[in-house]
Amino acid sequence: MLNDVKVVIINPTYNEKENISRLIPILQEEFKKISHEMHILVVDDNSPDGTAEIVKDLMKVSSNIHLITGQKQGLGAAYIRGMIYAMEKLGADAVMEMDADFSHKPEDVKRLIAELDKGFDFVIGSRYVPGGTIPREWGFFRRMNSKFGNIFARFVAGLYHVHDCTAGFRAIKTDLLKKFDLGSIRAQGYSFQMNLLYQAVNHGAKVKEVPVDFIDRKMGQSKLGLSDIAEFMLNAWMIRFERSETFLKFAIVGSSGVLVNLGVLWFLHDVLKTSDLIASPFAVEASIFSNFVLNNYWTFGGRNRYVTDRFFKKFVKFNLVSLTALVITFSIFYILTRFFGVYYLLAQMGGIALAMFWNYFVNLNWTWNIKSNIKE
Ligand code: GDD
Ligand code: MN
């Protein structure tokens, strides 16, 4: 990025009087080591402790500090408001998420921004990659909460490739944020972190995790509550559900392929009187082609903007996957009938079912791959 790049650090606050008054001057010192135009945007939800007044005082002497206030609706709601303001009113090229309670080290700001400069769009200050840490002081519940949150995000929501999906320390290019509708993110609370990451991955973001130490706050208290945990789990399942819609489409296309296969076979054999030894493989390839076209424009249609492979290359990959599926179906058929005495039609169905999951998984992650963008 160039030197006239504007980066806005968003600090959401709720009763962070003691913290924000110290954090802002320290950040200002850090900014001297960064070659971009650095700003701070505090999103305060009318904190009763007078956080906003402290920020207003600091604003009198610095022009790069900004404040917006609002009703308390949760961390996610605050970030959404802040990001929209940073893009529309401040013209930010990149925004950062950062807690106001010193859990994120000010000296790490420049490390995250350095990765944006290298070309990444979505940089995560990660506690769960080698080198990253969580506080020793964290009790059992806090640890489990964070660990389970990430397990949910990775294995329920399907963000397998990212290790810290709930981190609140991130640097994001606004070119990426503008690609999707921030307002459509339903998460009001902490779940926002996972939902935003999901959107980013879906829109082909180049994601990078940078190890950081997460420091336990010394002043004030955490606002993470039970309703946040409930919202988080619900949202993880909602994301999973959205993904099953893709799987359902894939299964429908697969079934349509059977009809194409049989239809073409009948046409070649009965109408054109072709030999069945030519008609059969031709019918198979015809159904592979029709499956490919339907998947390309319908099942994975939304992903295509972010898939780098062209039509023909994807078609070749799709054929290879279909070939492996044939091997899988046949192996299962062989094993079940020969070693377990399973009835041949059932054995074939077992093979088809396994091959379908395999097909889906490999096509999603390889043929129509957009995840290759994620780097650790
Ligand atoms: N404006 C606003 N509104 N700010 C809020 C709200 C809210 O409803 N809730 C929390 N904040 C602010 C806090 O004042 C603080 O600056 C920051 O958001 C983080 O809140 P904490 O309450 O300190 O969060 P935490 O330490 O429990 O959680 C951290 O870890 C989570 C994952 O384990 C944060 O980094 C989260 O972002 C992260 O998801
Ligand atoms: Mn905190």
Side-chain angles (χ1 to χ4, degrees):
M1 287 198 289
L2 298 163
N3 279 354
D4 52 4
V5 163
K6 199 178 212 181
V7 182
V8 177
I9 300 189
I10 302 174
N11 291 131
T13 55
Y14 193 72
N15 289 344
E16 302 288 4
K17 186 171 70 174
E18 301 98 330
N19 286 317
I20 200 76
S21 57
R22 294 192 302 129
L23 181 66
I24 290 178
I26 294 176
L27 281 176
Q28 296 281 36
E29 278 305 305
E30 280 299 317
F31 291 169
K32 292 178 183 159
K33 302 171 199 159
I34 302 171
S35 62
H36 302 313
E37 186 184 331
M38 300 297 298
H39 290 254
I40 296 171
L41 170 63
V42 178
V43 184
D44 182 62
D45 287 351
N46 297 334
S47 301
D49 76 346
T51 301
E53 275 58 52
I54 305 268
V55 178
K56 280 180 195 152
D57 282 344
L58 291 163
M59 284 166 75
K60 287 179 193 147
V61 288
S62 318
S63 57
N64 65 336
I65 304 174
H66 315 268
L67 169 73
I68 54 174
T69 55
Q71 294 301 316
K72 187 173 183 332
Q73 292 167 315
L75 182 66
Y79 266 127
I80 291 171
R81 260 185 287 132
M83 285 175 181
I84 291 173
Y85 187 88
M87 289 192 282
E88 292 180 358
K89 294 286 185 331
L90 304 177
D93 298 295
V95 293
M96 283 189 73
E97 293 179 7
M98 187 183 190
D99 293 354
D101 61 358
F102 286 96
S103 284
H104 303 135
K105 293 194 283 192
E107 65 257 41
D108 285 340
V109 166
K110 57 178 178 297
R111 294 177 53 226
L112 268 64
I113 291 178
E115 299 298 330
L116 290 183
D117 294 344
K118 284 184 199 157
F120 292 99
D121 310 304
F122 197 100
V123 183
I124 303 172
S126 175
R127 298 160 294 181
Y128 298 121
V129 289
T133 60
I134 53 171
R136 280 212 190 94
E137 308 90 292
W138 267 9
F140 180 73
F141 178 73
R142 192 71 176 81
R143 266 167 213 269
M144 284 302 126
N145 185 31
S146 182
K147 283 263 191 302
F148 275 116
N150 271 297
I151 289 174
F152 250 75
R154 293 180 72 187
F155 300 104
V156 176
L159 299 163
Y160 316 99
H161 297 255
V162 179
H163 301 82
D164 196 343
C165 303
T166 60
F169 194 24
R170 313 196 278 202
I172 310 159
K173 284 190 187 151
T174 52
D175 278 347
L176 172 72
L177 290 181
K178 284 172 190 157
K179 281 190 194 167
F180 51 86
D181 182 14
L182 267 179
S184 72
I185 296 182
R186 285 177 302 266
Q188 295 275 296
Y190 288 69
S191 158
F192 167 77
Q193 311 292 15
M194 168 182 62
N195 286 64
L196 186 76
L197 173 65
Y198 171 66
Q199 289 293 332
V201 169
N202 253 358
H203 287 80
K206 292 198 178 74
V207 180
K208 167 89 182 183
E209 287 187 84
V210 177
V212 297
D213 301 315
F214 186 94
I215 316 293
D216 212 9
R217 64 155 75 228
K218 304 285 178 291
M219 276 180 264
Q221 56 196 10
S222 167
K223 284 93 199 172
L224 200 150
L226 274 181
S227 66
D228 287 297
I229 298 175
E231 186 194 34
F232 187 88
M233 294 203 281
L234 182 73
N235 276 327
W237 284 110
M238 300 270 277
I239 291 173
R240 159 87 335 173
F241 194 69
E242 213 178 295
R243 302 213 147 171
S244 345
E245 201 181 298
T246 315
F247 181 69
L248 192 71
K249 287 180 178 174
F250 190 80
I252 293 171
V253 170
S255 317
S256 80
V258 176
L259 298 180
V260 171
N261 190 331
L262 296 177
V264 170
L265 183 64
W266 169 82
F267 184 78
L268 291 176
H269 189 259
D270 281 28
V271 181
L272 298 184
K273 307 289 179 205
T274 319
S275 146
D276 57 355
L277 289 181
I278 294 172
S280 171
F282 199 86
V284 171
E285 192 52 40
S287 68
I288 290 179
F289 183 73
S290 74
N291 281 355
F292 173 75
V293 171
L294 288 172
N295 282 324
N296 193 47
Y297 293 108
W298 187 50
T299 317
F300 300 119
R303 293 167 76 93
N304 266 334
R305 271 176 295 167
Y306 316 110
V307 173
T308 39
D309 286 347
R310 312 206 54 95
F311 187 89
F312 185 70
K313 187 161 179 202
K314 284 183 283 189
F315 183 55
V316 171
K317 284 177 161 185
F318 192 77
N319 269 278
L320 288 174
V321 179
S322 304
L323 196 67
T324 58
L326 180 73
V327 175
I328 289 175
T329 315
F330 182 71
S331 312
I332 296 290
F333 179 81
Y334 189 85
I335 293 167
L336 290 180
T337 53
R338 293 303 181 277
F339 298 115
F340 295 94
V342 175
Y343 181 58
Y344 78 101
L345 283 179
L346 275 182
Q348 184 80 334
M349 271 167 64
I352 291 173
L354 194 75
M356 190 169 78
F357 280 104
W358 163 263
N359 268 342
Y360 177 70
F361 196 75
V362 179
N363 280 315
L364 178 73
N365 291 298
W366 186 54
T367 317
W368 283 275
N369 166 48
I370 51 179
K371 291 206 185 94
S372 64
N373 279 333
I374 297 176
K375 298 267 174 339
E376 217 181 84

